[in-house]
Amino acid sequence: MRVAVVGATGAVGSTMLGVMRERAFPASEVVAFASERSAGRVIDWGEQRLQVQPLSDDSIQGFDVVLFSAGATTSGEWAPRFAEAGAVVVDNSSRWRMDDDVPLVVSEVNPDALEGHRGIVANPNCSTMQMVVALKPILDAAGIERLVVTTLQSVSGTGQRAVEELHDQAEAVLDAKELEPPSVYPHQVAFNVLPQAGKFPEGSDYTDEELKLVNETRKILGRPDIGVSATCTRVPVYTGHSESVNVQTRDPLSPEDCRDLLANAPGIEVLDDPARGIYPLAIAAAGRDEVLVGRIRRDPSHERCLNLWIVSDNLRKGAATNAVQIAELLGERGLLGSSARAA
Ligand SMILES: NC(=O)c1ccc[n+]([C@@H]2O[C@H](COP(=O)([O-])OP(=O)(O)OC[C@H]3O[C@@H](n4cnc5c(N)ncnc54)[C@H](OP(=O)(O)O)[C@@H]3O)[C@@H](O)[C@H]2O)c1
């Protein structure tokens, strides 16, 4: 399988390369792409040295799979060109996620949606991804009517520049130096909590990040009727998004039954002994692929509501690992090549 990794120098792209090696992804050749800025740079990938290429009509020919994480604009321009050249693109950006012709897939939740692909498959937003992994077993067992979600999202979810900004700000505060004006976020993120993750579209009270959580959750779960109320915040954590999720089920579900369901579901680890200090933590999730769930408890204000605390590594299951899992599924299910596409 000939594989292109587009955005290979970025936070998600470099994680995808690492995950491919860990999982012994069956690639006969891997080509790394990034912008003109990084062209010629060499990435060490195991024993191999990958020389970063710029995107061009010539360089994009002959791939089976493209793992794309170079932002929505680049994806809008180049993903269809890769697809036209015969590859299946797995895209991490928001560009194609809500397109009716593009499956939005989480490997444990809706893998069958891949059967309808037309050359592009979308990887969901990181906060949506980890939440739906935990919600799917609950949906299947007891139905879901409504979700109230607050996210506490790490800075690596914004990309490499945001990680550097947090580091520089934290260092300046600890050294009692004057801070540079923030360039990635609207305010200082170090030692702070920003009640804004993403941007406010014109005239909207909700950020695009919050709207993604609403729309993508409904599309992946195939349930446009689920009510979703979302608040997305940015916190000074390098890696790992945390989420407080209030789930209103259709049928009664006890915390005990919910714990059992989740403990037996794929991709989830339940950590739930709060009296002993055992619950999911961002620093424990970082570097792992599992979605960690804990603080599973009855909402005392509603007999069919449970509260959950859900944490996962936004760069791994929230982006890179799911993209690689999708590529594996495409290969296993014979869905690569132009002839395997839906009409
Ligand atoms: N970070 C997360 O947790 C997360 C989770 C889910 C989805 N995503 C999505 O994944 C995408 C990448 O995010 P990231 O966090 O990895 O960002 P990032 O660290 O800023 O990396 C961006 C990558 O895109 C490349 N790039 C930028 N413009 C390009 C162009 N015109 N042509 C080719 N390559 C170009 C960059 O190359 P240079 O090094 O040459 O600039 C870099 O490799 C975004 O769409 C983001 O929304 C991110």
Side-chain angles (χ1 to χ4, degrees):
M1 200 187 301
R2 196 164 177 259
V3 181
V5 176
V6 183
T9 53
V12 175
S14 53
T15 309
M16 288 198 297
L17 285 169
V19 170
M20 284 170 71
R21 277 192 61 76
E22 286 168 28
R23 297 174 71 92
F25 187 83
S28 53
E29 187 192 356
V30 174
V31 179
F33 288 94
S35 78
E36 295 281 356
R37 292 180 291 277
S38 309
R41 212 180 112 181
V42 172
I43 299 174
D44 285 320
W45 192 61
E47 282 90 61
Q48 296 182 47
R49 288 162 63 76
L50 309 177
Q51 189 166 47
V52 175
Q53 314 277 321
L55 293 163
S56 73
D57 282 330
D58 286 341
S59 64
I60 67 166
Q61 303 298 319
F63 290 99
D64 299 294
V65 174
V66 185
L67 301 177
F68 217 111
S69 67
T73 309
T74 311
S75 183
E77 184 182 347
W78 288 94
R81 290 157 88 163
F82 271 107
E84 209 166 291
V88 182
V89 177
V90 183
D91 183 45
N92 272 287
S93 81
S94 57
R95 173 62 182 83
W96 305 100
R97 291 180 191 149
M98 294 311 295
D99 195 303
D100 284 342
D101 289 337
V102 174
L104 180 62
V105 177
V106 180
S107 63
E108 298 87 349
V109 177
N110 62 337
D112 294 346
L114 287 174
E115 311 282 339
H117 86 78
R118 294 177 179 183
I120 301 177
V121 176
N123 213 31
N125 171 264
C126 34
S127 15
T128 309
M129 182 98 67
Q130 65 184 63
M131 186 174 76
V132 296
V133 170
L135 291 179
K136 174 71 163 124
I138 299 176
L139 176 72
D140 290 345
I144 293 176
E145 291 180 345
R146 181 167 184 257
L147 304 163
V148 182
V149 188
T150 302
T151 70
L152 297 88
Q153 298 180 213
S154 70
V155 295
S156 63
T158 314
Q160 204 51 47
R161 278 184 52 233
V163 173
E164 286 154 22
E165 183 156 292
L166 170 59
H167 179 88
D168 293 348
Q169 289 177 353
E171 215 167 47
V173 171
L174 291 172
D175 292 347
K177 289 193 180 133
E178 196 171 326
L179 269 70
E180 299 284 331
S183 66
V184 178
Y185 298 120
H187 303 281
Q188 174 188 326
V189 70
F191 305 97
N192 206 0
V193 176
L194 309 182
Q196 173 187 355
K199 295 193 170 64
F200 289 95
E202 182 77 32
S204 173
D205 290 338
Y206 288 87
T207 64
D208 50 3
E209 199 78 2
E210 289 160 348
L211 298 171
K212 286 177 204 169
L213 201 67
V214 175
N215 298 325
E216 294 180 22
T217 299
R218 291 172 171 160
K219 178 169 175 177
I220 297 160
L221 295 177
R223 289 293 305 273
D225 56 321
I226 294 179
V228 187
S229 176
T231 304
C232 293
T233 77
R234 191 71 62 185
V235 293
V237 168
Y238 281 130
T239 303
H241 290 351
S242 305
E243 299 176 332
S244 164
V245 182
N246 182 276
V247 189
Q248 182 175 321
T249 54
R250 181 197 59 218
D251 305 327
L253 180 69
S254 70
E256 295 73 25
D257 287 349
C258 181
R259 215 169 277 127
D260 283 350
L261 265 180
L262 297 182
N264 291 307
I268 297 176
E269 181 169 340
V270 172
L271 293 171
D272 202 13
D273 190 353
R276 291 176 51 225
I278 296 174
Y279 30 66
L281 295 172
I283 54 171
R288 296 185 57 182
D289 285 327
E290 296 83 0
V291 173
L292 310 181
V293 189
R295 299 294 319 275
I296 301 169
R297 62 209 189 277
R298 164 80 51 227
D299 174 349
S301 72
H302 195 293
E303 59 182 8
R304 280 183 289 109
C305 284
L306 294 172
N307 282 309
L308 314 176
W309 186 253
I310 303 172
V311 182
S312 189
D313 183 327
N314 49 288
L315 293 172
R316 290 184 68 98
K317 184 58 195 173
T321 302
N322 195 64
V324 175
Q325 287 171 316
I326 289 175
E328 289 169 353
L329 284 170
L330 287 165
E332 285 160 23
R333 293 183 174 213
L335 291 169
L336 297 174
S338 304
S339 58
R341 292 180 190 179

